[in-house]
Structures are given as C-alpha cells and as structure tokens.
Amino acid sequence: RGEEGEGPFDKYSDSEEIIEECSSISRQQIVELVASLRSQHVGDRENTELALLLARLYQALFPLTPNLVLSVRGGQKEKDSCSLAEVSALVKKEAEDMFNIWISSKLSQFSTSLFSLTSTAGSFLTSLPAWDKVTISETGDSGQEINSIISIPPSPSLPLITSLLSLASTIHRSHPSSFPQSLLSPTSINVFQTILSHYSSLSSQTLTQNFALQLLFDLHFTQTLLVSRDTKEQFSTTLSTLLSSLETNIDPFDLSVFSPHLHSRVKKAAARCVSGLGCLVPADRVAIISSYKISTTQDSHNILCVEPQPCPRFQLLPLSTACLSKVSAKAALSSAHLQLPLLAGQAAVDAKKTAAGKTDKSPAHQTAASFFGSMPWFGTNS
C-alpha cells in the first residue's frame, strides 16, 4: 500500500464541532418533546391511561434507541458524559411524574369506592359480610358450665375489600414490576392514609356494636397488610387513637371475649388476601403474613363462607387395620395357591432330570443303549 497524499483540505478538521452541535440539537429536541407532551396531555384528567403510556415511552426511550444515546453523548465517554446524564435524569423524572399522575387517579377511584362504607342502617346489608358463629364456654356463679354462641366477623367489610382488590387488580394489569422502586411504597402509604381518614370520620359518629366491631376488624386487617416496619411509627399514634375511639362503642366484657377470635381471623384473612393484594403489601410484610399457619380441614373453603358441614366429596374409602390385615392375608394365600402348581411341576421336572442323570451314569444302561442302537431292525414293524 503506497502512501496516500494529503488532500487539498482536512475533511476531519470540523468533526468535533459537528458532533458537539449534533449532541446539542438532540438534547434540545428531547427537552422540547418532554415539555410539549406535558403541556398537551397532562391536563387531560379524563384520559389517565395516556399518562401511563407516556411513562412507558420515557422508560423505553433510551434503551430502545442506542443511536440516540450516541448522538446525545457526543464525543464524550459514556461514564463522563454530563449531557447524557442530564437528559437521562430529565426523562426519568418525567416518567416518575407520569406514573404518579396515573397512580393518583387510581387512588381517587379507590377513595370514591371506599366512601360507600357508611354507618347508615341501609348500608349494613351491603357492607357487612356473613359472620362466623363461635361457641364459647363460661362458668356461671353456681359453678355450672354455660355454653353461648357469639358472632365474629371473618373477613373485611365488602366496600373495603372490593376497593382494595379493584385497585390491586388495576395495578397488576399494568405490570407493577416495571414501575420505579420508589413508587409502590408511597402508594401503600397513601392507601392506608385514605382508610384512616375515612374511618376517623366514621368513628366520630354513634355506631352500633356490630358495626364498630367490623370497623375494628378492618383496621387490624389493613394494619397487618399495609403497615411496614419503616412506617409503623408514622401511624402508631393515629391508629391507636382510632382503635380506642372504636372500642368505646363496644361493651368491655364483649370486647375481651371477642378479641382473641377477632385477631385469629384477622391473620387468616390477611394470609388469604396477601396474593391478591401483593402489589400493595410491603416486602417485609409478605414474608411475615405468608408464615401464618391457617388450620383448615380437608373440606373447608378458604374464600366463601359455606355451611359448617358442607356436602361430602367423592373420596377414597378408608380401610381399617383389621380389614387391611385380612386383605393382605387373602393376597398371600392367593399368591401361594398360584405358586403351588408351579412349584410342584418344577419339582417333578427336577426329579426326572435327577433320575435320568442317575440312570445315565449306570454302565448297564450305557451297554444296552449301544446294543439296541446298533440293531437297525429293532423297533421296526415287519
């Protein structure tokens, strides 16, 4: 290869300026794009799904356009590129803002749905679930044992659990694993704050004992699911005040009797709902709630309240120990009967082989065999 002569001008002399100008224009266009989309669509509160779409767009902007990354970075190295870091921070912040706008709209729908839980007499049928009946034993003044039946709420109120499941299902459909890590934790806090705010307004009213007991169950249920170790101190004062306000509507003796059964059913309900509400449950609470051991029978249902004695299902018939011994004895006898003819036949064959072996060894038999074998006429019919 011969030496190449220099041209009339250096065609690479302006390359750095061109790259820097291209980087500057790319940054400017991205900033203008973000500002334009925000001004046009953020004010549209009716179409909140568009905010989620824009958040996905900002998340995928740089991972799916590597050439755009090169253009924004310019001639700088990836680790030392201040322009790329600045634009990436802007896009990331805008994505988080879009996610927050979408989450805020869903929390507003959650609040509206939760507000259907009221203390009016007409809302009891649509708010309270079917309660469990528990038989307790007490010792009277005369020393006799008295059995009485009490009713305990086994699950949260219908407006509360419906609102929570609706919110969790909406978030699940949007793939919460792709959300920023700093988004779901504040969502759980906002949900619990909304519940506390509404239940505080209910506790200031005159409540019946059954309704106050159901609200007490709801607060323990949401506390078990949504309050993490980091936010426990934040809600401890407000929560204890609210629980005390609700307990004033319940007879102290009834409260002491109901409390053990109430807390056990709170754990059972939390363990049953932790999967459906997984995106709202803090990470440190999932492991604790999943460790709760729920004692269930073979025919019991864990979702719907059914009759105490549900209809039996088709199962394998149980066999007693005596029956099993008879069956094993019959099987042994039948196998013995099958093996006896085989053993007898095998013994006869072995006896014939032994006798034949003994006969073959005798000299007289060998001489007779050789004699009759040399006579071709022996054994033929004339």
Side-chain angles (χ1 to χ4, degrees):
R1 181 180 178 181
E3 296 183 358
E4 296 181 357
E6 296 182 358
F9 58 89
D10 186 5
K11 58 183 178 180
Y12 297 109
S13 60
D14 299 331
S15 59
E16 295 183 0
E17 288 78 2
I18 294 174
I19 292 175
E20 291 299 328
E21 185 66 21
C22 182
S23 175
S24 176
I25 294 174
S26 299
R27 293 197 306 270
Q28 182 180 358
Q29 292 299 319
I30 292 175
V31 172
E32 292 180 359
L33 174 65
V34 170
S36 176
L37 291 176
R38 171 174 282 274
S39 62
Q40 294 179 14
H41 303 293
V42 169
D44 189 4
R45 296 296 180 181
E46 297 180 357
N47 189 8
T48 57
E49 297 301 324
L50 184 60
L52 181 62
L53 179 62
L54 291 176
R56 301 290 190 199
L57 172 64
Y58 294 137
Q59 273 188 329
L61 182 61
F62 288 130
L64 297 183
T65 56
N67 291 330
L68 180 61
V69 175
L70 294 175
S71 178
V72 173
R73 190 175 64 190
Q76 300 175 348
K77 295 183 179 180
E78 185 176 0
K79 296 182 179 180
D80 301 332
S81 178
C82 298
S83 57
L84 180 61
E86 180 182 353
V87 176
S88 298
L90 173 64
V91 173
K92 181 180 179 180
K93 182 179 181 302
E94 192 67 18
E96 292 180 355
D97 292 343
M98 293 296 107
F99 276 122
N100 286 324
I101 291 174
W102 182 79
I103 286 290
S104 299
S105 65
K106 301 308 173 185
L107 287 176
S108 177
Q109 297 176 7
F110 169 77
S111 302
T112 304
S113 177
L114 183 63
F115 288 164
S116 62
L117 178 62
T118 59
S119 60
T120 58
S123 66
F124 286 170
L125 294 178
T126 59
S127 300
L128 302 184
W131 285 19
D132 290 344
K133 294 182 178 180
V134 180
T135 303
I136 59 174
S137 299
E138 299 175 350
T139 304
D141 297 336
S142 60
Q144 296 180 352
E145 185 176 352
I146 302 174
N147 295 328
S148 57
I149 298 177
I150 61 174
S151 297
I152 303 294
S155 58
S157 60
L158 298 181
L160 174 63
I161 192 61
T162 302
S163 303
L164 286 173
L165 288 175
S166 177
L167 176 61
S169 300
T170 303
I171 298 177
H172 275 305
R173 285 195 299 267
S174 303
H175 305 287
S177 58
S178 62
F179 286 7
Q181 296 181 356
S182 60
L183 183 64
L184 292 179
S185 180
T187 301
S188 301
I189 296 175
N190 292 331
V191 169
F192 193 63
Q193 286 177 343
T194 303
I195 294 173
L196 289 180
S197 176
H198 181 57
Y199 278 55
S200 296
S201 63
L202 291 176
S203 64
S204 61
Q205 306 172 13
T206 303
L207 305 176
T208 61
Q209 176 168 310
N210 288 343
F211 192 71
L213 193 63
Q214 181 64 58
L215 297 183
L216 199 65
F217 182 98
D218 292 351
L219 286 178
H220 286 298
F221 173 77
T222 52
Q223 179 188 9
T224 304
L225 281 175
L226 303 179
V227 179
S228 64
R229 187 184 302 107
D230 299 332
T231 59
K232 186 176 181 179
E233 296 182 357
Q234 178 181 352
F235 298 109
S236 60
T237 304
T238 305
L239 186 60
S240 60
T241 303
L242 183 55
L243 291 175
S244 301
S245 178
L246 290 175
E247 289 174 355
T248 56
N249 297 280
I250 305 174
D251 183 79
F253 176 77
D254 292 342
L255 182 62
S256 63
V257 175
F258 292 162
S259 293
H261 303 283
L262 186 72
H263 290 297
S264 63
R265 281 161 175 76
V266 165
K267 291 183 177 181
K268 182 178 179 180
R272 189 171 59 225
C273 298
V274 67
S275 299
L277 303 176
C279 60
L280 299 176
V281 181
D284 60 337
R285 297 301 302 170
V286 174
I288 297 175
I289 297 173
S290 301
S291 65
Y292 291 158
K293 294 182 179 179
I294 304 174
S295 59
T296 57
T297 59
Q298 185 176 1
D299 290 328
S300 64
H301 298 263
N302 61 350
I303 298 297
L304 299 177
C305 294
V306 295
E307 292 295 330
Q309 296 180 354
C311 60
R313 303 175 182 175
F314 293 101
Q315 299 174 353
L316 297 177
L317 295 177
L319 298 177
S320 61
T321 306
C323 185
L324 286 174
S325 61
K326 292 180 181 179
V327 171
S328 60
K330 289 181 179 180
L333 289 175
S334 61
S335 62
H337 284 303
L338 291 175
Q339 292 178 359
L340 283 176
L342 297 176
L343 294 175
Q346 186 68 26
V349 172
D350 293 341
K352 290 181 180 180
K353 288 184 178 180
T354 305
K358 291 181 179 179
T359 306
D360 292 342
K361 293 180 180 179
S362 61
H365 183 274
Q366 294 177 358
T367 305
S370 61
F371 173 77
F372 288 110
S374 63
M375 298 298 180
W377 47 266
F378 180 78
T380 59
N381 295 326
S382 56

